[in-house]
Amino acid sequence: MKPVDNALPEVDTAKEKKSPTRIMMGIENADCDDAKHGLAIDFDPYNVTHSTVYMCLEPKADYKGDYNMDAVITERNVPAAYVANHKCMNSSIAYPERIPSYGTHRPLWPRYGEYRYVPAQRWLHNSEHGAVDELKHIVKECLYRHVITPSQLPNKDRPFALVTWHATLEFSVLERSIVEAFIEKYALKGPEQTHRDGQYDHLLVDPAKVVSTENDSVLCPKKQRD
C-alpha cells in the first residue's frame, strides 16, 4: 500500500490570512451560514428528491469486495501556510478531486457523529479540525472527532473511504489493522485543532461519544497492541 503524492498549486496564503472579508468559522449568521437556511445548494435534508444521494439505489452485487485489491492512500501536498476559505451559502463549492481532503468549505461544521448523510462541503471542515470522516464501528472506537456518512464519491472497486485533512484511504474489503494504522498516522493533523462540536446536525442519527478524551489524546485505545 503505497501513498500517492499530489502537489497543490501555490496559494497566496498571506493574502488570505489578512483579508478582512475572510469569514469566521463557528459563528451562526443568517446572512451567511446558520446551518438552517439555504442548504439546498449543497444538500437539502428536507427535500425527498435529494435523498437519492444516500439511498444506495444501485444493485448491491455491483459492490462485491475484492480481497486481491490493495487499499490505496492518497496524500495531498498541502502547504503548511495554506488557509482554507469559508464560503457562505449563497455560493456553490466544487472540488477538483473525486474525494476532497482539503479546500474551501462552509463556516459551520457538523456535530461529530453518524449521519444518514452529510455533504462534503460540511464534513471537510471537520477534517480541518483533525476529524476522520467515514466508516463506522472502528472509527467510533478510535476517536471522538468523527463524521460518518454514506457517499457516492468512492468508486465501485473501492467503495469504502476514510478522509482526513490532506489524506484519503480507499479500500475494497475492511481490514481493521489498515484502518487503525491510517487513523493513527493521519488523524488530528488538521490546521484548526479544536474538539468543539459543530452546529450542523441535520440527519444526525448517533452523536459521537468521547473515546479517550475530547481531545482524542489516545487514538484507537481498544486496538490490540503487539
Side-chain angles (χ1 to χ4, degrees), residues 4-221:
V4 179
D5 291 326
N6 292 285
L8 276 175
E10 290 297 321
V11 179
D12 189 353
T13 54
K15 183 177 180 180
E16 288 189 12
K17 282 183 177 180
K18 296 178 181 178
S19 173
T21 60
R22 187 168 187 267
I23 299 161
M24 298 296 293
M25 72 173 190
I27 299 176
E28 295 186 27
N29 182 348
D31 294 327
C32 178
D33 182 13
D34 61 2
K36 299 179 181 68
H37 301 95
L39 303 178
I41 194 169
D42 299 331
F43 165 76
D44 188 351
Y46 306 112
N47 187 335
V48 67
T49 64
H50 285 214
S51 64
T52 57
V53 298
Y54 64 83
M55 290 179 65
C56 300
L57 299 176
E58 296 183 6
K60 292 183 179 179
D62 291 348
Y63 294 88
K64 293 181 179 178
D66 185 349
Y67 286 89
N68 295 316
M69 185 169 293
D70 290 337
V72 173
I73 293 177
T74 303
E75 293 182 355
R76 304 292 179 184
N77 183 21
V78 182
Y82 173 76
V83 178
N85 281 324
H86 300 143
K87 269 193 177 182
C88 295
M89 300 307 297
N90 59 0
S91 299
S92 61
I93 301 175
Y95 301 104
E97 302 81 17
R98 178 170 52 84
I99 302 178
S101 59
Y102 71 93
T104 300
H105 45 261
R106 299 303 179 195
L108 303 186
W109 61 96
R111 292 179 59 195
Y112 298 114
E114 179 183 352
Y115 288 78
R116 286 169 64 192
Y117 182 76
V118 178
Q121 293 86 349
R122 292 286 178 183
W123 57 248
L124 193 57
H125 199 154
N126 296 71
S127 297
E128 191 179 27
H129 294 175
V132 174
D133 304 301
E134 282 292 342
L135 216 59
K136 199 166 183 179
H137 301 296
I138 298 176
V139 171
K140 288 183 177 181
E141 294 177 355
C142 275
L143 75 170
Y144 164 66
R145 279 178 278 180
H146 68 261
V147 171
I148 299 170
T149 176
S151 177
Q152 295 180 339
L153 299 179
N155 58 40
K156 290 183 179 181
D157 291 335
R158 296 181 177 88
F160 302 104
L162 270 70
V163 183
T164 63
W165 190 254
H166 95 280
T168 61
L169 168 67
E170 299 177 76
F171 52 96
S172 179
V173 178
L174 173 62
E175 291 188 44
R176 188 182 188 99
S177 60
I178 292 177
V179 172
E180 290 176 335
F182 178 84
I183 291 173
E184 290 181 324
K185 182 175 181 179
Y186 293 102
L188 312 184
K189 298 295 193 297
E192 295 177 352
Q193 287 296 317
T194 176
H195 63 261
R196 183 158 58 99
D197 214 357
Q199 298 89 353
Y200 182 99
D201 61 0
H202 299 284
L203 304 186
L204 176 66
V205 296
D206 186 17
K209 299 174 180 62
V210 173
V211 179
S212 57
T213 65
E214 285 187 331
N215 283 322
D216 294 306
S217 56
V218 179
L219 292 171
C220 305

